[in-house]
Amino acid sequence: MTEEQKIVFLEKEYFHLQARVESFDAKSLTIKAWSVSLAMAVLSSGAFSKTYNVLLYAAMAALLFWLIEGYWKTFQNANYQRIAEIEGYLNGTITEIDCLQINASWSREYNKLGRTLFYRSLFWPHVMLPHGIMTLGFAISYLYFI
């Protein structure tokens, strides 16, 4: 493979990875929308009956969406190492790179980052909002009313 062909492949891989990362952000907004919608639906279903157990159900639903988004961010972040490698090669700071390594790089990074990044990502402000706030708010409200 010539150097020009290698650069063409790496550029395609780079832009594919950038699109993939952006698609994770779009899905993240969908997760947030579903989280808020479900929590509000659960709350509104018990609002008139004064059933305070719905607060606990809403807290559990928000917690599950929070965990889903934490995993989603972990999956997304496993792509950044490969993006950095390609950028390094294209700007000359890395001298050797193999083409077409999206899966191998993602798997290596995901296994390396693992649970540590997952737990850290749960407390990033853009992940914690709205799920973490809803989980805590609904749980505290439930404990207050029982």
PDB file of all heavy atoms in Angstrom, residues 90-110:
ATOM      1  N   LEU A  90      -1.368  11.742  10.993  1.00  0.00           N
ATOM      2  CA  LEU A  90      -1.560  12.740   9.933  1.00  0.00           C
ATOM      3  C   LEU A  90      -0.810  14.044  10.214  1.00  0.00           C
ATOM      4  O   LEU A  90      -0.437  14.754   9.283  1.00  0.00           O
ATOM      5  CB  LEU A  90      -3.052  13.001   9.718  1.00  0.00           C
ATOM      6  CG  LEU A  90      -3.853  11.824   9.157  1.00  0.00           C
ATOM      7  CD1 LEU A  90      -5.325  12.161   9.075  1.00  0.00           C
ATOM      8  CD2 LEU A  90      -3.313  11.373   7.803  1.00  0.00           C
ATOM      9  N   ASN A  91      -0.581  14.362  11.494  1.00  0.00           N
ATOM     10  CA  ASN A  91       0.174  15.586  11.785  1.00  0.00           C
ATOM     11  C   ASN A  91       1.660  15.328  12.035  1.00  0.00           C
ATOM     12  O   ASN A  91       2.405  16.247  12.331  1.00  0.00           O
ATOM     13  CB  ASN A  91      -0.456  16.383  12.926  1.00  0.00           C
ATOM     14  CG  ASN A  91      -0.292  15.724  14.285  1.00  0.00           C
ATOM     15  OD1 ASN A  91       0.616  14.932  14.525  1.00  0.00           O
ATOM     16  ND2 ASN A  91      -1.186  16.062  15.197  1.00  0.00           N
ATOM     17  N   GLY A  92       2.078  14.064  11.935  1.00  0.00           N
ATOM     18  CA  GLY A  92       3.493  13.738  11.987  1.00  0.00           C
ATOM     19  C   GLY A  92       4.060  13.387  13.350  1.00  0.00           C
ATOM     20  O   GLY A  92       5.254  13.119  13.462  1.00  0.00           O
ATOM     21  N   THR A  93       3.266  13.381  14.393  1.00  0.00           N
ATOM     22  CA  THR A  93       3.792  13.038  15.719  1.00  0.00           C
ATOM     23  C   THR A  93       3.881  11.529  15.941  1.00  0.00           C
ATOM     24  O   THR A  93       4.575  11.085  16.849  1.00  0.00           O
ATOM     25  CB  THR A  93       2.952  13.676  16.851  1.00  0.00           C
ATOM     26  OG1 THR A  93       1.591  13.259  16.722  1.00  0.00           O
ATOM     27  CG2 THR A  93       3.030  15.192  16.793  1.00  0.00           C
ATOM     28  N   ILE A  94       3.175  10.744  15.129  1.00  0.00           N
ATOM     29  CA  ILE A  94       3.277   9.282  15.152  1.00  0.00           C
ATOM     30  C   ILE A  94       3.794   8.859  13.778  1.00  0.00           C
ATOM     31  O   ILE A  94       3.304   9.331  12.753  1.00  0.00           O
ATOM     32  CB  ILE A  94       1.903   8.626  15.437  1.00  0.00           C
ATOM     33  CG1 ILE A  94       1.420   8.987  16.839  1.00  0.00           C
ATOM     34  CG2 ILE A  94       1.980   7.117  15.271  1.00  0.00           C
ATOM     35  CD1 ILE A  94       0.022   8.479  17.161  1.00  0.00           C
ATOM     36  N   THR A  95       4.770   7.954  13.773  1.00  0.00           N
ATOM     37  CA  THR A  95       5.395   7.597  12.493  1.00  0.00           C
ATOM     38  C   THR A  95       4.837   6.321  11.881  1.00  0.00           C
ATOM     39  O   THR A  95       4.925   6.131  10.677  1.00  0.00           O
ATOM     40  CB  THR A  95       6.913   7.445  12.662  1.00  0.00           C
ATOM     41  OG1 THR A  95       7.173   6.462  13.668  1.00  0.00           O
ATOM     42  CG2 THR A  95       7.549   8.770  13.047  1.00  0.00           C
ATOM     43  N   GLU A  96       4.264   5.423  12.662  1.00  0.00           N
ATOM     44  CA  GLU A  96       3.724   4.163  12.151  1.00  0.00           C
ATOM     45  C   GLU A  96       2.294   3.961  12.625  1.00  0.00           C
ATOM     46  O   GLU A  96       1.974   4.217  13.786  1.00  0.00           O
ATOM     47  CB  GLU A  96       4.566   2.981  12.625  1.00  0.00           C
ATOM     48  CG  GLU A  96       5.823   2.739  11.820  1.00  0.00           C
ATOM     49  CD  GLU A  96       5.545   2.456  10.358  1.00  0.00           C
ATOM     50  OE1 GLU A  96       4.648   1.631  10.048  1.00  0.00           O
ATOM     51  OE2 GLU A  96       6.223   3.050   9.509  1.00  0.00           O
ATOM     52  N   ILE A  97       1.459   3.493  11.698  1.00  0.00           N
ATOM     53  CA  ILE A  97       0.065   3.201  12.035  1.00  0.00           C
ATOM     54  C   ILE A  97      -0.473   2.202  11.022  1.00  0.00           C
ATOM     55  O   ILE A  97      -0.068   2.198   9.867  1.00  0.00           O
ATOM     56  CB  ILE A  97      -0.794   4.496  12.049  1.00  0.00           C
ATOM     57  CG1 ILE A  97      -2.160   4.255  12.684  1.00  0.00           C
ATOM     58  CG2 ILE A  97      -0.919   5.065  10.651  1.00  0.00           C
ATOM     59  CD1 ILE A  97      -2.948   5.530  12.949  1.00  0.00           C
ATOM     60  N   ASP A  98      -1.358   1.345  11.475  1.00  0.00           N
ATOM     61  CA  ASP A  98      -2.036   0.422  10.567  1.00  0.00           C
ATOM     62  C   ASP A  98      -3.392   1.004  10.207  1.00  0.00           C
ATOM     63  O   ASP A  98      -4.044   1.667  11.017  1.00  0.00           O
ATOM     64  CB  ASP A  98      -2.240  -0.944  11.239  1.00  0.00           C
ATOM     65  CG  ASP A  98      -0.930  -1.683  11.443  1.00  0.00           C
ATOM     66  OD1 ASP A  98      -0.042  -1.552  10.581  1.00  0.00           O
ATOM     67  OD2 ASP A  98      -0.797  -2.375  12.463  1.00  0.00           O
ATOM     68  N   CYS A  99      -3.839   0.729   9.011  1.00  0.00           N
ATOM     69  CA  CYS A  99      -5.153   1.188   8.547  1.00  0.00           C
ATOM     70  C   CYS A  99      -6.237   0.216   8.979  1.00  0.00           C
ATOM     71  O   CYS A  99      -5.977  -0.952   9.284  1.00  0.00           O
ATOM     72  CB  CYS A  99      -5.164   1.296   7.025  1.00  0.00           C
ATOM     73  SG  CYS A  99      -4.083   2.558   6.394  1.00  0.00           S
ATOM     74  N   LEU A 100      -7.451   0.718   8.970  1.00  0.00           N
ATOM     75  CA  LEU A 100      -8.650  -0.093   9.180  1.00  0.00           C
ATOM     76  C   LEU A 100      -8.588  -0.885  10.491  1.00  0.00           C
ATOM     77  O   LEU A 100      -8.736  -2.100  10.524  1.00  0.00           O
ATOM     78  CB  LEU A 100      -8.871  -1.022   7.979  1.00  0.00           C
ATOM     79  CG  LEU A 100      -8.910  -0.327   6.614  1.00  0.00           C
ATOM     80  CD1 LEU A 100      -8.975  -1.343   5.500  1.00  0.00           C
ATOM     81  CD2 LEU A 100     -10.052   0.666   6.530  1.00  0.00           C
ATOM     82  N   GLN A 101      -8.433  -0.158  11.583  1.00  0.00           N
ATOM     83  CA  GLN A 101      -8.299  -0.774  12.901  1.00  0.00           C
ATOM     84  C   GLN A 101      -9.381  -0.300  13.880  1.00  0.00           C
ATOM     85  O   GLN A 101      -9.159  -0.285  15.087  1.00  0.00           O
ATOM     86  CB  GLN A 101      -6.919  -0.457  13.481  1.00  0.00           C
ATOM     87  CG  GLN A 101      -5.770  -1.033  12.694  1.00  0.00           C
ATOM     88  CD  GLN A 101      -5.782  -2.542  12.711  1.00  0.00           C
ATOM     89  OE1 GLN A 101      -5.837  -3.153  13.773  1.00  0.00           O
ATOM     90  NE2 GLN A 101      -5.767  -3.147  11.534  1.00  0.00           N
ATOM     91  N   ILE A 102     -10.544   0.057  13.389  1.00  0.00           N
ATOM     92  CA  ILE A 102     -11.592   0.587  14.260  1.00  0.00           C
ATOM     93  C   ILE A 102     -11.981  -0.429  15.330  1.00  0.00           C
ATOM     94  O   ILE A 102     -11.995  -0.119  16.521  1.00  0.00           O
ATOM     95  CB  ILE A 102     -12.835   1.021  13.448  1.00  0.00           C
ATOM     96  CG1 ILE A 102     -12.512   2.241  12.596  1.00  0.00           C
ATOM     97  CG2 ILE A 102     -14.002   1.329  14.381  1.00  0.00           C
ATOM     98  CD1 ILE A 102     -13.625   2.653  11.660  1.00  0.00           C
ATOM     99  N   ASN A 103     -12.304  -1.632  14.935  1.00  0.00           N
ATOM    100  CA  ASN A 103     -12.759  -2.638  15.898  1.00  0.00           C
ATOM    101  C   ASN A 103     -11.660  -3.024  16.883  1.00  0.00           C
ATOM    102  O   ASN A 103     -11.902  -3.095  18.088  1.00  0.00           O
ATOM    103  CB  ASN A 103     -13.272  -3.881  15.174  1.00  0.00           C
ATOM    104  CG  ASN A 103     -13.827  -4.896  16.150  1.00  0.00           C
ATOM    105  OD1 ASN A 103     -14.688  -4.577  16.953  1.00  0.00           O
ATOM    106  ND2 ASN A 103     -13.313  -6.108  16.091  1.00  0.00           N
ATOM    107  N   ALA A 104     -10.464  -3.272  16.379  1.00  0.00           N
ATOM    108  CA  ALA A 104      -9.361  -3.675  17.259  1.00  0.00           C
ATOM    109  C   ALA A 104      -9.052  -2.573  18.267  1.00  0.00           C
ATOM    110  O   ALA A 104      -8.863  -2.847  19.461  1.00  0.00           O
ATOM    111  CB  ALA A 104      -8.120  -4.006  16.428  1.00  0.00           C
ATOM    112  N   SER A 105      -9.026  -1.341  17.801  1.00  0.00           N
ATOM    113  CA  SER A 105      -8.731  -0.218  18.687  1.00  0.00           C
ATOM    114  C   SER A 105      -9.853  -0.025  19.708  1.00  0.00           C
ATOM    115  O   SER A 105      -9.598   0.185  20.889  1.00  0.00           O
ATOM    116  CB  SER A 105      -8.544   1.055  17.870  1.00  0.00           C
ATOM    117  OG  SER A 105      -8.352   2.153  18.701  1.00  0.00           O
ATOM    118  N   TRP A 106     -11.099  -0.094  19.241  1.00  0.00           N
ATOM    119  CA  TRP A 106     -12.234   0.081  20.149  1.00  0.00           C
ATOM    120  C   TRP A 106     -12.227  -0.996  21.228  1.00  0.00           C
ATOM    121  O   TRP A 106     -12.388  -0.690  22.413  1.00  0.00           O
ATOM    122  CB  TRP A 106     -13.554   0.036  19.375  1.00  0.00           C
ATOM    123  CG  TRP A 106     -14.719   0.356  20.251  1.00  0.00           C
ATOM    124  CD1 TRP A 106     -15.269   1.586  20.450  1.00  0.00           C
ATOM    125  CD2 TRP A 106     -15.473  -0.561  21.065  1.00  0.00           C
ATOM    126  NE1 TRP A 106     -16.312   1.493  21.350  1.00  0.00           N
ATOM    127  CE2 TRP A 106     -16.454   0.179  21.734  1.00  0.00           C
ATOM    128  CE3 TRP A 106     -15.406  -1.926  21.299  1.00  0.00           C
ATOM    129  CZ2 TRP A 106     -17.366  -0.389  22.617  1.00  0.00           C
ATOM    130  CZ3 TRP A 106     -16.311  -2.499  22.180  1.00  0.00           C
ATOM    131  CH2 TRP A 106     -17.271  -1.743  22.830  1.00  0.00           C
ATOM    132  N   SER A 107     -12.049  -2.243  20.845  1.00  0.00           N
ATOM    133  CA  SER A 107     -12.048  -3.345  21.810  1.00  0.00           C
ATOM    134  C   SER A 107     -10.922  -3.192  22.831  1.00  0.00           C
ATOM    135  O   SER A 107     -11.125  -3.380  24.028  1.00  0.00           O
ATOM    136  CB  SER A 107     -11.897  -4.692  21.099  1.00  0.00           C
ATOM    137  OG  SER A 107     -12.999  -4.922  20.265  1.00  0.00           O
ATOM    138  N   ARG A 108      -9.750  -2.831  22.354  1.00  0.00           N
ATOM    139  CA  ARG A 108      -8.603  -2.641  23.245  1.00  0.00           C
ATOM    140  C   ARG A 108      -8.896  -1.526  24.251  1.00  0.00           C
ATOM    141  O   ARG A 108      -8.681  -1.675  25.450  1.00  0.00           O
ATOM    142  CB  ARG A 108      -7.365  -2.328  22.405  1.00  0.00           C
ATOM    143  CG  ARG A 108      -6.074  -2.260  23.155  1.00  0.00           C
ATOM    144  CD  ARG A 108      -4.856  -2.090  22.241  1.00  0.00           C
ATOM    145  NE  ARG A 108      -4.991  -1.027  21.251  1.00  0.00           N
ATOM    146  CZ  ARG A 108      -5.180  -1.221  19.941  1.00  0.00           C
ATOM    147  NH1 ARG A 108      -5.268  -2.441  19.436  1.00  0.00           N
ATOM    148  NH2 ARG A 108      -5.294  -0.206  19.111  1.00  0.00           N
ATOM    149  N   GLU A 109      -9.402  -0.411  23.764  1.00  0.00           N
ATOM    150  CA  GLU A 109      -9.682   0.726  24.641  1.00  0.00           C
ATOM    151  C   GLU A 109     -10.824   0.429  25.609  1.00  0.00           C
ATOM    152  O   GLU A 109     -10.757   0.778  26.780  1.00  0.00           O
ATOM    153  CB  GLU A 109     -10.024   1.975  23.829  1.00  0.00           C
ATOM    154  CG  GLU A 109      -8.835   2.702  23.329  1.00  0.00           C
ATOM    155  CD  GLU A 109      -7.878   3.114  24.436  1.00  0.00           C
ATOM    156  OE1 GLU A 109      -8.262   3.895  25.327  1.00  0.00           O
ATOM    157  OE2 GLU A 109      -6.737   2.643  24.414  1.00  0.00           O
ATOM    158  N   TYR A 110     -11.881  -0.204  25.117  1.00  0.00           N
ATOM    159  CA  TYR A 110     -13.010  -0.516  25.985  1.00  0.00           C
ATOM    160  C   TYR A 110     -12.580  -1.455  27.109  1.00  0.00           C
ATOM    161  O   TYR A 110     -12.950  -1.268  28.268  1.00  0.00           O
ATOM    162  CB  TYR A 110     -14.163  -1.131  25.183  1.00  0.00           C
ATOM    163  CG  TYR A 110     -15.361  -1.427  26.039  1.00  0.00           C
ATOM    164  CD1 TYR A 110     -16.187  -0.403  26.480  1.00  0.00           C
ATOM    165  CD2 TYR A 110     -15.666  -2.729  26.429  1.00  0.00           C
ATOM    166  CE1 TYR A 110     -17.277  -0.658  27.285  1.00  0.00           C
ATOM    167  CE2 TYR A 110     -16.752  -2.993  27.235  1.00  0.00           C
ATOM    168  CZ  TYR A 110     -17.560  -1.960  27.652  1.00  0.00           C
ATOM    169  OH  TYR A 110     -18.632  -2.211  28.467  1.00  0.00           O
TER     170      TYR A 110
END
